[in-house]
């Protein structure tokens, strides 16, 4: 008999995964080019050349022990390079000891939450959000506290303040955001910091940053280290270098964090004992050698533009995302998200209802699909819009 708490988890499954399987089923019937599967945020661009060059170099010049165990926080040289990069961006000194190499952002968040949470501690999440946070928080005895964002998906500082209790341990922010694609401005981060610092206990800000390199329209993401004091960063190369299957990322505790000494040690302990032991050795070396590279962001920007045009030209509404890989379009009036999803499905457009992100009234479309798919989907969007009287 498995643990009783697991039963509801395995029965509910993942709506996004189900859509993925449905996409494959439809493709077998109608052909790849007639199914417009926008359900999954699986980056489809190839990693930049720096990654394959680094892999080749490592394979051609093996060093003794390069596949061996290492310090649980990862290679010193990799952590030093990351500390320098993030320190330079923020104009501050960061010690390599602030960094722990992890198995992607999912692992990083679990390491951090395991380090921070006592049973029953609360973690604030901002709706709409990446729903895996629920599991990450509950894995470590935490309680999820949902707070709505404003109409343009920006954090609402007053609403966050109203949700804070004696048990609030942390708040998770994610900018550029999945699913809305918004990027939080510096002033908002400052206001959040001021409000949190006015409380009588430390509330950590966990900055989940898998999309930090995917920004468009010449925008830059404000260095969160400059604006938030009690900060822990969870970074991943899953999207920046298109390496989601390789599982590589890091945590970085801000030197300004009031729990810096204990938290940096607790994260390394958590990383070891939750079972990762250390991040993949080869991939630490690869990211160290590719630290300033990123995927072809202009390509994603072009696809965002094409998909956004399809949506708005066909009569639908969406906030144009400045970052990440998603458009969070408004569900047309008078329909539930699921009803709209079903209508789109009839036209072979697959999207994910907002409920999967605690964002009812919207549906998410991922634009990390081929340009051809996006171009071919235009007619289908117009047909759905026509059926609903929108064009
Ligand atoms: C917002 C957000 N956080 C974390 C993750 C997990 O990323 P990783 O592959 O690095 O574990 C994802 C993956 O899609 C994500 O969208």
């Amino acid at each position: 008999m498995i643990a009783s708490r697991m039963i509801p988890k395995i029965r509910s499954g993942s709506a996004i995964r189900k859509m993925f399987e449905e996409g494959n089923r439809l493709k077998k019937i109608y052909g790849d080019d007639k199914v417009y599967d926008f359900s999954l945020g699986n980056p489809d661009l190839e990693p930049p050349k720096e990654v394959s060059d680094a892999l080749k170099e490592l394979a051609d010049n093996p060093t003794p022990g390069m596949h061996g165990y290492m310090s649980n926080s990862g290679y010193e040289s990799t952590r030093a390079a990351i500390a320098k990069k993030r320190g330079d961006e923020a104009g501050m000194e960061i010690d390599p000891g602030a960094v722990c190499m992890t198995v992607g952002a999912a692992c990083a968040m679990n390491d951090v939450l395991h380090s921070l949470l006592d049973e029953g501690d609360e973690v604030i999440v901002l709706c709409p959000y990446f729903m895996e946070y629920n599991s990450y928080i509950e894995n470590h005895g935490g309680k999820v506290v949902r707070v709505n964002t404003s109409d343009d998906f920006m954090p609402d500082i007053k609403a966050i303040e109203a949700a804070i209790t004696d048990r609030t341990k942390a708040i998770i922010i994610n900018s550029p955001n999945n699913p809305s694609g918004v990027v939080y401005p510096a002033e908002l981060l400052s206001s959040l910091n001021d409000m949190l610092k006015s409380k009588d206990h430390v509330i950590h800000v966990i900055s989940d940053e898998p999309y930090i390199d995917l920004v468009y329209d010449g925008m830059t993401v404000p260095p969160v280290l400059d604006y938030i004091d009690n900060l822990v960063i969870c970074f991943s190369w899953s999207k920046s270098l298109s390496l989601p299957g390789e599982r590589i990322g890091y945590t970085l505790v801000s030197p300004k964090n009031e729990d810096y000494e204990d938290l940096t040690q607790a994260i390394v302990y958590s990383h070891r004992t939750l079972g990762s032991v250390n991040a993949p050795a080869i991939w630490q070396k690869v990211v160290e050698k590719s630290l300033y590279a990123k995927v072809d962001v202009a390509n994603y920007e072009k696809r965002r533009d094409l998909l956004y045009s399809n949506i708005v030209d066909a009569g639908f509404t969406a906030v144009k995302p400045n970052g990440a890989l998603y458009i969070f379009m408004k569900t047309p009036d008078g329909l539930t998200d699921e009803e709209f999803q079903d209508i789109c499905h009839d036209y072979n457009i697959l999207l994910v209802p907002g409920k999967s992100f605690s964002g009812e009234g919207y549906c998410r479309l991922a634009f990390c699909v081929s340009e051809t798919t996006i171009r071919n989907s235009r007619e289908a969007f117009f047909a759905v819009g026509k059926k609903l009287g929108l064009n």
Side-chain angles (χ1 to χ4, degrees), residues 41 103-107 109 130 133 136 174 178 208 210-211 235-239 244 247-248 326:
V103 183
C107 166
M109 306 237 349
F130 180 56
Y133 294 162
Y136 303 165
N174 170 225
N178 175 10
D208 177 30
Y211 301 99
F235 176 86
S236 151
W237 281 277
S238 290
K239 322 280 166 161
R247 316 304 304 138
I248 184 79
Y326 315 102

Side-chain angles (χ1 to χ4, degrees), residues 157 185-196 226-228:
I157 306 295
E187 311 78 67
L188 235 161
L189 297 172
S190 269
S191 312
L192 176 64
N193 191 51
D194 292 345
M195 185 275 286
L196 295 175
D226 280 341
Y227 300 100
I228 306 278

Side-chain angles (χ1 to χ4, degrees), residues 131-142:
M131 285 283 255
E132 293 290 284
Y133 294 162
N134 293 350
S135 308
Y136 303 165
I137 294 165
E138 286 162 7
N139 280 345
H140 311 289

Side-chain angles (χ1 to χ4, degrees), residues 106-240:
C107 166
M109 306 237 349
N110 274 280
D111 290 348
V112 168
L113 290 162
H114 192 67
S115 304
L116 288 177
L117 299 182
D118 283 312
E119 194 70 32
D121 276 348
E122 295 168 6
V123 180
I124 293 176
V125 295
L126 305 176
C127 303
Y129 66 98
F130 180 56
M131 285 283 255
E132 293 290 284
Y133 294 162
N134 293 350
S135 308
Y136 303 165
I137 294 165
E138 286 162 7
N139 280 345
H140 311 289
K143 191 176 149 213
V144 180
V145 176
R146 293 176 189 81
V147 173
N148 285 331
T149 49
S150 61
D151 286 347
D152 53 1
F153 305 118
M154 290 294 170
D156 175 343
I157 306 295
K158 284 211 167 68
I160 297 170
E161 184 162 27
I164 289 175
T165 71
D166 294 350
R167 298 302 306 268
T168 308
K169 214 23 140 11
I171 171 170
I172 299 174
I173 60 170
N174 170 225
S175 164
N177 185 267
N178 175 10
S180 70
V182 300
V183 176
Y184 300 164
E187 311 78 67
L188 235 161
L189 297 172
S190 269
S191 312
L192 176 64
N193 191 51
D194 292 345
M195 185 275 286
L196 295 175
K197 293 291 288 277
S198 73
K199 302 296 155 196
D200 57 10
H201 69 283
V202 174
I203 300 173
H204 294 272
V205 175
I206 301 173
S207 177
D208 177 30
E209 304 186 344
Y211 301 99
I212 201 162
D213 287 325
L214 305 187
V215 278
Y216 314 118
D217 312 311
M219 211 173 195
T220 48
V221 181
V224 70
L225 280 155
D226 280 341
Y227 300 100
I228 306 278
D229 294 343
N230 288 315
L231 173 75
V232 196
I233 288 171
C234 294
F235 176 86
S236 151
W237 281 277
S238 290
K239 322 280 166 161
S240 297

